[in-house]
Amino acid sequence: MYYLILVLPAMLFAMWANAKVNSTYREYSKVTTYSRMTGYEAARRILDANGLRNVAIEHVRGELTDHYDPRTNVLRLSDGVYYSDSVAAIGVAAHESGHAVQYRQDYLPVKIRTAILPVCNFGSQAAWPIMMVGLVLGSMNLFRFGILLFSMIAVFQFVTLPVEFNASDRAMAALESSGAFTESELDGAQNMLWAAGMTYVAALAVSLANVMRLLLISNRRNR
């Protein structure tokens, strides 16, 4: 019952968000920009304009596997972004470049996310085994400790939201100020980034729903 009331709606939202970002990406991957600027060129322009000439841009295989790696100071763009001159490619490349700028400017949510990452990773790996042991031993204190560890996933996703939306805001500002794109192209990039942002909102919703479900289970067993 808890699953149907709490988790299922969040899961349906997540399924919709994933379908939306994929369909939006495919739609705007077919729309070529008037400037014919590639994802690589857009990223390079944004990075250089922000004093990040030392950030390398590499090609990585896959679809939507684009990311900025702060450990190696490398921006990696996927097959459909690196060489493509589509609206989708420009939006994705600009977004990932925004992450690189965040690290350069010591954007506070990025620093917080980096700081809590080890704890959140441990929580995500240890939570379920600890909760299972708690149930087997009949120890609700151990079960609740597992819930606490599991909730760290939601904390990480909550901190991730401003990081992702801020990167998109930076991306749109950079694309608009470049003067290289038409209004319809900017609208397409905005739609692409909005759809991507919804996947992070959906992930947080699923985690929060699961935390609430586990707390209700704990309260019921404690009666």
Side-chain angles (χ1 to χ4, degrees), residues 14-196:
M15 291 172 62
W16 171 84
N18 284 323
K20 181 65 175 178
V21 72
N22 286 325
S23 64
T24 306
Y25 177 77
R26 287 193 298 269
E27 176 184 354
Y28 289 106
S29 290
K30 300 174 183 177
V31 181
T32 302
T33 58
Y34 180 78
S35 65
R36 304 303 296 269
M37 186 184 301
T38 65
Y40 167 83
E41 292 169 337
R44 187 73 273 164
R45 176 180 292 194
I46 294 171
L47 293 173
D48 292 350
N50 285 276
L52 293 171
R53 296 180 183 275
N54 61 320
V55 175
I57 303 177
E58 296 179 354
H59 172 241
V60 63
R61 295 192 178 280
E63 182 176 274
L64 294 177
T65 52
D66 314 84
H67 64 280
Y68 170 67
D69 186 349
R71 297 167 300 178
T72 58
N73 203 29
V74 172
L75 179 64
R76 298 186 174 93
L77 300 178
S78 63
D79 294 328
V81 174
Y82 190 97
Y83 298 109
S84 175
D85 56 4
S86 70
V87 169
I90 296 301
V92 172
H95 175 88
E96 298 305 332
S97 300
H99 283 310
V101 177
Q102 288 174 336
Y103 277 93
R104 173 179 172 79
Q105 297 181 353
D106 289 328
Y107 180 57
L108 181 59
V110 163
K111 296 174 69 175
I112 295 174
R113 187 176 70 168
T114 301
I116 67 175
L117 180 59
V119 176
C120 293
N121 281 339
F122 172 77
S124 66
Q125 295 171 8
W128 287 109
I130 289 176
M131 283 188 283
M132 292 301 296
V133 171
L135 289 176
V136 171
L137 298 179
S139 172
M140 295 313 299
N141 287 333
L142 192 58
F143 184 76
R144 293 192 190 95
F145 179 63
I147 296 175
L148 176 63
L149 292 177
F150 182 81
S151 67
M152 293 305 299
I153 301 174
V155 171
F156 181 81
Q157 291 168 336
F158 180 77
V159 174
T160 293
L161 285 184
V163 174
E164 295 300 329
F165 283 109
N166 177 263
S168 291
D169 288 343
R170 292 173 186 268
M172 291 308 303
L175 295 178
E176 290 171 4
S177 63
S178 71
F181 306 100
T182 66
E183 184 175 346
S184 63
E185 290 169 353
L186 292 173
D187 288 342
Q190 181 69 73
N191 290 338
M192 174 69 212
L193 295 177
W194 178 85

